[in-house]
Amino acid sequence: QVQLVESGGGSVQAGGSLRLSCAASGATYCSGWFRQAPGKEREGVATIYSGPGRTYYADSVKGRFTISQDNAKNTVYLQMNSLQPEDTAMYYCAAAAGCVDSKRWLLREGSYGYWGQGTQVTVSS
């Protein structure tokens, strides 16, 4: 069983930046960041396939968000730049012990068995 703890959420004005962190209690093969806005379904934002360090992004955040990992610390980060009000959501970290190196698979909510409690990101205009 892997436990995930997110941190780094907060409130920021449009155009600002935030960095989210996700500390895992053990090693995982792939990790992802998802978000859920009120009244909307949870969507995959960014994911990293740990071994080769390959990353995938949703089109809505590509070029603005960067996912990275520190394997020594079992921590995954999400650097979010040029934030917009539509990025406002609860952000969740997810991890899986078995992974498929496919953007579609890695950005799918049902692919992950481990989830953090979420951290709120609010972007004001």
Side-chain angles (χ1 to χ4, degrees):
Q1 187 77 6
V2 176
Q3 293 183 330
L4 305 174
V5 178
E6 303 106 330
S7 61
S11 298
V12 66
Q13 289 190 328
S17 299
L18 285 172
R19 189 176 83 152
L20 307 182
S21 299
C22 173
S25 60
T28 57
Y29 288 97
C30 58
S31 301
W33 285 97
F34 290 74
R35 67 185 181 186
Q36 188 168 21
K40 294 188 177 181
E41 293 185 353
R42 191 173 297 188
E43 62 170 344
V45 173
T47 181
I48 186 164
Y49 193 64
S50 301
R54 198 146 38 237
T55 58
Y56 300 100
Y57 298 92
D59 290 344
S60 58
V61 305
K62 203 168 185 179
R64 300 188 297 124
F65 291 11
T66 302
I67 188 170
S68 61
Q69 62 185 7
D70 184 334
N71 290 332
K73 297 181 178 179
N74 288 333
T75 300
V76 176
Y77 305 96
L78 185 67
Q79 177 67 43
M80 305 184 294
N81 298 328
S82 301
L83 283 162
Q84 299 300 317
E86 53 266 34
D87 295 315
T88 295
M90 184 71 79
Y91 283 70
Y92 297 90
C93 177
C99 310
V100 176
D101 191 6
S102 153
K103 177 179 179 179
R104 184 175 181 179
W105 191 95
L106 288 165
L107 285 176
R108 187 180 67 191
E109 179 182 3
S111 299
Y112 295 86
Y114 305 112
W115 291 86
Q117 80 287 353
T119 185
Q120 178 68 37
V121 171
T122 302
V123 185
S124 58
S125 57

Coordinates of all heavy atoms in Angstrom, one line a residue, residues 10 12-19 35 64-65 80-88 91 121-124:
G10 N -2.9 26.5 -3.2 CA -3.1 27.9 -2.7 C -3.9 28.7 -3.6 O -4.4 28.2 -4.6
V12 N -3.8 32.2 -6.1 CA -2.8 33.0 -6.9 C -3.6 33.8 -8.0 O -4.7 33.3 -8.4 CB -1.8 32.1 -7.6 CG1 -2.4 31.1 -8.6 CG2 -0.7 32.9 -8.2
Q13 N -3.1 34.9 -8.4 CA -3.8 35.6 -9.5 C -3.4 35.0 -10.8 O -2.4 34.4 -11.0 CB -3.3 37.1 -9.4 CG -3.9 37.8 -8.2 CD -3.7 39.3 -8.2 OE1 -2.7 39.8 -8.8 NE2 -4.6 40.1 -7.7
A14 N -4.2 35.3 -11.8 CA -4.0 34.9 -13.1 C -2.6 35.3 -13.6 O -2.2 36.4 -13.4 CB -5.1 35.4 -14.1
G15 N -1.9 34.4 -14.3 CA -0.6 34.6 -14.7 C 0.5 34.2 -13.7 O 1.7 34.1 -14.1
G16 N 0.0 33.8 -12.5 CA 1.0 33.4 -11.5 C 1.4 32.0 -11.6 O 1.0 31.2 -12.5
S17 N 2.2 31.5 -10.6 CA 2.7 30.2 -10.6 C 2.5 29.5 -9.3 O 2.5 30.2 -8.2 CB 4.2 30.2 -11.0 OG 4.4 30.7 -12.3
L18 N 2.5 28.2 -9.3 CA 2.4 27.4 -8.1 C 3.2 26.1 -8.4 O 3.2 25.6 -9.5 CB 1.0 27.0 -7.6 CG 0.2 28.1 -7.0 CD1 -1.3 27.7 -6.8 CD2 0.8 28.5 -5.6
R19 N 3.7 25.5 -7.3 CA 4.3 24.2 -7.5 C 3.7 23.2 -6.5 O 3.8 23.5 -5.3 CB 5.9 24.2 -7.3 CG 6.5 22.9 -7.6 CD 8.0 22.9 -7.6 NE 8.5 22.7 -6.2 CZ 9.7 22.1 -5.9 NH1 10.5 21.7 -6.9 NH2 10.1 22.0 -4.7
R35 N -7.1 16.7 -11.8 CA -7.8 17.8 -11.1 C -9.3 17.7 -11.3 O -9.8 17.1 -12.3 CB -7.4 19.2 -11.7 CG -7.7 19.4 -13.1 CD -7.1 20.7 -13.6 NE -7.4 21.0 -15.0 CZ -6.9 22.1 -15.7 NH1 -6.0 22.9 -15.1 NH2 -7.2 22.3 -16.9
R64 N 2.5 24.9 -20.2 CA 2.4 25.7 -19.0 C 2.7 24.9 -17.7 O 3.3 25.5 -16.8 CB 0.9 26.3 -18.9 CG 0.5 27.1 -20.0 CD -0.9 27.8 -19.7 NE -1.9 26.8 -19.5 CZ -2.7 26.7 -18.4 NH1 -2.5 27.5 -17.4 NH2 -3.6 25.8 -18.4
F65 N 2.4 23.7 -17.7 CA 2.7 22.8 -16.6 C 3.8 21.9 -16.9 O 4.0 21.4 -18.0 CB 1.4 22.0 -16.3 CG 0.3 22.7 -15.7 CD1 0.2 24.1 -15.7 CD2 -0.8 22.0 -15.2 CE1 -0.8 24.8 -15.2 CE2 -1.9 22.7 -14.6 CZ -1.9 24.1 -14.7
M80 N 3.3 24.7 -12.1 CA 2.2 25.3 -12.9 C 2.5 26.8 -13.1 O 2.6 27.5 -12.1 CB 0.9 25.1 -12.2 CG 0.6 23.7 -11.8 SD -1.0 23.4 -11.0 CE -0.8 24.3 -9.5
N81 N 2.7 27.1 -14.4 CA 3.0 28.5 -14.7 C 1.8 29.1 -15.6 O 1.0 28.3 -16.1 CB 4.3 28.6 -15.5 CG 5.5 28.2 -14.7 OD1 5.5 28.3 -13.5 ND2 6.5 27.6 -15.4
S82 N 1.8 30.4 -15.7 CA 0.7 31.1 -16.4 C -0.6 30.5 -16.1 O -1.5 30.2 -16.9 CB 1.0 30.8 -18.0 OG 2.3 31.3 -18.3
L83 N -0.9 30.5 -14.8 CA -2.2 29.9 -14.3 C -3.3 30.8 -14.7 O -3.2 32.1 -14.8 CB -2.1 29.8 -12.8 CG -1.4 28.5 -12.3 CD1 -1.0 28.7 -10.9 CD2 -2.2 27.3 -12.6
Q84 N -4.4 30.2 -15.1 CA -5.6 30.9 -15.5 C -6.8 30.5 -14.6 O -6.8 29.4 -13.9 CB -6.0 30.5 -16.9 CG -4.9 30.9 -17.9 CD -4.6 32.4 -17.9 OE1 -5.5 33.3 -17.8 NE2 -3.3 32.8 -17.9
P85 N -7.9 31.3 -14.5 CA -9.0 31.0 -13.7 C -9.6 29.6 -13.9 O -10.0 28.9 -13.0 CB -10.0 32.1 -14.0 CG -9.2 33.2 -14.3 CD -8.0 32.7 -15.1
E86 N -9.5 29.1 -15.2 CA -10.0 27.8 -15.5 C -9.2 26.7 -15.0 O -9.6 25.5 -15.0 CB -10.2 27.6 -17.0 CG -9.0 28.0 -17.8 CD -9.0 29.4 -18.3 OE1 -9.5 30.3 -17.6 OE2 -8.4 29.6 -19.4
D87 N -8.0 27.0 -14.4 CA -7.2 26.0 -13.8 C -7.6 25.7 -12.3 O -7.1 24.8 -11.6 CB -5.7 26.4 -13.8 CG -5.1 26.5 -15.2 OD1 -5.4 25.5 -15.9 OD2 -4.4 27.5 -15.5
T88 N -8.6 26.5 -11.8 CA -9.1 26.4 -10.5 C -9.7 25.0 -10.3 O -10.6 24.7 -11.1 CB -10.1 27.5 -10.1 OG1 -9.4 28.8 -10.2 CG2 -10.7 27.3 -8.8
Y91 N -6.6 19.5 -6.9 CA -5.6 18.7 -7.6 C -5.3 17.5 -6.8 O -5.0 17.6 -5.6 CB -4.4 19.6 -7.9 CG -4.6 20.5 -9.0 CD1 -5.4 21.6 -8.9 CD2 -4.0 20.3 -10.2 CE1 -5.6 22.5 -10.0 CE2 -4.1 21.2 -11.3 CZ -5.0 22.3 -11.2 OH -5.2 23.1 -12.2
V121 N -6.3 24.5 -5.6 CA -5.7 25.5 -6.3 C -6.8 26.5 -6.8 O -7.7 26.1 -7.5 CB -4.9 25.0 -7.6 CG1 -4.4 26.1 -8.4 CG2 -3.7 24.1 -7.1
T122 N -6.6 27.7 -6.4 CA -7.6 28.7 -6.8 C -6.9 29.9 -7.6 O -5.9 30.5 -7.0 CB -8.3 29.3 -5.6 OG1 -9.0 28.2 -4.9 CG2 -9.4 30.3 -6.0
V123 N -7.4 30.2 -8.8 CA -6.8 31.2 -9.6 C -7.8 32.3 -9.8 O -8.9 32.1 -10.3 CB -6.3 30.7 -10.9 CG1 -5.5 31.8 -11.7 CG2 -5.3 29.5 -10.7
S124 N -7.5 33.5 -9.4 CA -8.4 34.6 -9.5 C -8.0 35.5 -10.7 O -6.8 35.6 -11.0 CB -8.5 35.5 -8.3 OG -7.2 35.9 -7.9

